[in-house]
Amino acid sequence: MKQAVPLAEGIYWVGAVDYDVRVFHGHHFHTPRGTTYNAYLVTGEKTALVDSVHKPFAHELVERVAGVVPWARLDYIIVNHLEPDHSGALPVAVQQAPQAQLVCSEKCAEGLQRYYGIGNVHVVGTGDSVDLGGLTLQFLEARMLHWPDSMFTYVPERKVLLPNDAFGQHFASSARFDDEVDLVAVLDEASKYYANILNPVGSLVTKKLAEVQQLGLEIETIGPSHGIIWRRHTAEIVEAYARWAQGVAEPRVIVAYDTMWGSTERMARAIVEGVAAEGVEARPYRLPVSDRTAALRDAIESAALVVGTATINRRMLPTIAPFLDDLAGLRPKKTIGFAFGSHGWNGGGMPQVEAALKEAGVELIREGLTTVFWPAEDDLAACVEAGRDLARRVRGQA
Ligand code: FEO
């Protein structure tokens, strides 16, 4: 029997751990450490389930809840967010507890109808609450963090915030809490999560954090919908969000590239050497063999980004295009850089990269570097010098 895990008096984790998932959101988000789908049970005199799990794990949710309270005694099901990793098991939950009142935001109600044909929900907004008798659920709309329907649920008597995707991380573990795991690894996943999901709405994150402060919500525990529950390092993850939302650029250079016969790779390595020679960290990512989610996070967080490609059929390599496309959607801030690449009989790839970098908002500080067939010594020297120049500018900004 799968067990619930208490996180405060009357509040339990009743989710599921997905140790094996390696790609998320279709295939674009890499999850090398797996993930979890966290749902919570809040029990006063009445009982509420907050969120559900990804559909294939519905049986785990059913067992964990039943270990605390019979489904027939559930009074409410709160849906903080519609996305199927949290609502996929909702039809099962509704089947188990047809008497339970569904509670969600207005936008979420629209989505529940479209996804599952579920109606008859109680719509709430910021300032609304549900009295469970002994414990209260207070609601705070969190539009665009990260969907229009997103909502936070707060239990004031226990100082517990259940903000769904916010503060989450794709991190699978048998442990549930931040003081039971490697914090460096959890923060690494939290930063990848922020950059790849929330970066485009950084200004809304800043506003929401200010609103939470203004409302005077005391928060001891944050139970996100993915990964580890924050109870010892709660202030640290909130501060990290404030920092990430400001878009403070880390003083490092990301070198993202792909190569066909090694020429573009030689250029990439020469650029890395130049950057390092100036005492600035360079992180090379050969994209088809790298964690693209980490590469995107680093591209967004860092002061400089250079992207290189070989040319095929007069175009950039097909391993580069989706990275640049994602980058444009994630809206990096204050990034400088340039393009580079080699080609054989015909060029075309490198200028495409330049155009895509511009579209993503990267400020190009020089014309792209090109070599034909195999980089000669003076080509490599130019790459080293370009790396040095970029690193000096990064240092100057720091
Ligand atoms: Fe974890 Fe937006 O779903």
Side-chain angles (χ1 to χ4, degrees):
M1 180 97 175
K2 306 276 185 197
Q3 296 294 323
V5 179
L7 59 132
E9 199 187 332
I11 307 181
Y12 303 82
W13 173 86
V14 288
V17 182
D18 190 346
Y19 291 99
D20 300 331
V21 65
R22 290 294 175 269
V23 284
F24 195 78
H25 270 173
H27 272 248
H28 95 274
F29 198 124
H30 284 196
T31 51
R33 295 181 171 110
T35 195
T36 75
Y37 314 105
N38 297 337
Y40 299 93
L41 196 64
V42 184
T43 60
E45 286 161 31
K46 293 181 174 180
T47 302
L49 172 66
V50 180
D51 293 320
S52 77
V53 297
H54 187 28
K55 192 176 174 184
F57 295 85
H59 60 288
E60 293 202 24
L61 175 77
V62 170
E63 278 187 33
R64 288 190 216 275
V65 169
V68 181
V69 63
W71 280 86
R73 282 192 30 217
L74 213 67
D75 298 286
Y76 299 99
I77 298 176
I78 316 300
V79 187
N80 274 329
H81 179 35
L82 175 68
E83 201 164 1
D85 50 331
H86 309 296
S87 69
L90 189 63
V92 174
V94 169
Q95 208 173 30
Q96 292 284 329
Q99 77 290 348
Q101 172 68 66
L102 262 72
V103 178
C104 67
S105 70
E106 193 179 347
K107 283 282 175 201
C108 189
E110 265 179 57
L112 287 178
Q113 184 62 249
R114 282 169 183 258
Y115 257 119
Y116 306 109
I118 290 177
N120 192 25
V121 300
H122 177 53
V123 169
V124 292
T126 297
D128 291 334
S129 61
V130 166
D131 185 0
L132 296 178
L135 293 182
T136 314
L137 304 178
Q138 293 180 350
F139 305 110
L140 181 61
E141 285 171 79
R143 285 183 203 164
M144 297 318 294
L145 299 176
H146 68 120
W147 273 17
D149 63 293
S150 298
M151 181 173 88
F152 297 173
T153 297
Y154 175 64
V155 187
E157 294 85 355
R158 298 290 178 267
K159 300 177 182 169
V160 170
L161 181 69
L162 305 175
N164 200 271
D165 281 330
F167 307 108
Q169 347 84 41
H170 288 309
F171 189 92
S173 168
S174 62
R176 298 274 60 80
F177 297 100
D178 59 351
D179 47 304
E180 300 171 330
V181 294
D182 175 3
L183 187 65
V184 172
V186 174
L187 282 170
D188 181 52
E189 289 303 329
S191 71
K192 281 157 66 176
Y193 194 96
Y194 180 90
N196 284 272
I197 305 272
L198 291 163
N199 192 66
V201 291
S203 59
L204 296 180
V205 172
T206 304
K207 273 190 202 153
K208 192 54 58 182
L209 291 176
E211 189 185 342
V212 166
Q213 206 168 26
Q214 227 167 26
L215 290 170
L217 304 191
E218 285 182 79
I219 300 168
E220 278 178 5
T221 306
I222 297 178
S225 58
H226 295 290
I228 291 300
I229 297 166
W230 305 96
R231 67 178 176 190
R232 182 177 296 175
H233 302 283
T234 308
E236 274 166 76
I237 188 64
V238 173
E239 279 162 24
Y241 261 57
R243 197 171 61 247
W244 295 330
Q246 278 172 15
V248 177
E250 300 292 337
R252 69 170 88 90
V253 177
I254 304 309
V255 182
Y257 70 98
D258 195 13
T259 195
M260 279 174 75
W261 296 106
S263 296
T264 304
E265 178 160 41
R266 275 172 70 85
M267 296 176 76
R269 285 170 183 259
I271 294 165
V272 167
E273 259 184 52
V275 172
E278 291 291 333
V280 171
E281 184 194 1
R283 289 189 186 172
Y285 283 99
R286 185 176 172 194
L287 288 175
V289 294
S290 300
D291 175 347
R292 71 193 301 275
T293 303
L296 281 164
R297 183 267 318 270
D298 284 354
I300 285 160
E301 282 189 352
S302 302
L305 168 68
V306 294
V307 177
T309 185
T311 289
I312 186 163
N313 300 328
R314 297 179 191 251
R315 303 182 70 82
M316 69 175 116
L317 291 176
T319 44
I320 299 293
F323 173 82
L324 290 169
D325 205 36
D326 253 349
L327 188 74
L330 292 172
R331 300 186 214 161
K333 301 175 191 88
K334 302 175 202 155
T335 310
I336 57 171
F338 58 84
F340 67 97
S342 72
H343 63 83
W345 303 110
N346 282 302
M350 193 279 289
Q352 267 199 320
V353 169
E354 275 191 324
L357 282 173
K358 264 192 225 164
E359 194 202 329
V362 176
E363 183 195 340
L364 300 181
I365 59 154
R366 59 174 306 135
E367 276 188 15
L369 298 167
T370 310
T371 69
V372 180
F373 287 116
W374 189 245
E377 283 310 313
D378 59 338
D379 292 324
L380 292 176
C383 289
V384 171
E385 187 42 46
R388 290 190 90 121
D389 174 49
L390 187 60
R392 284 193 291 266
R393 291 174 192 247
V394 166
R395 252 195 353 222
Q397 279 181 4

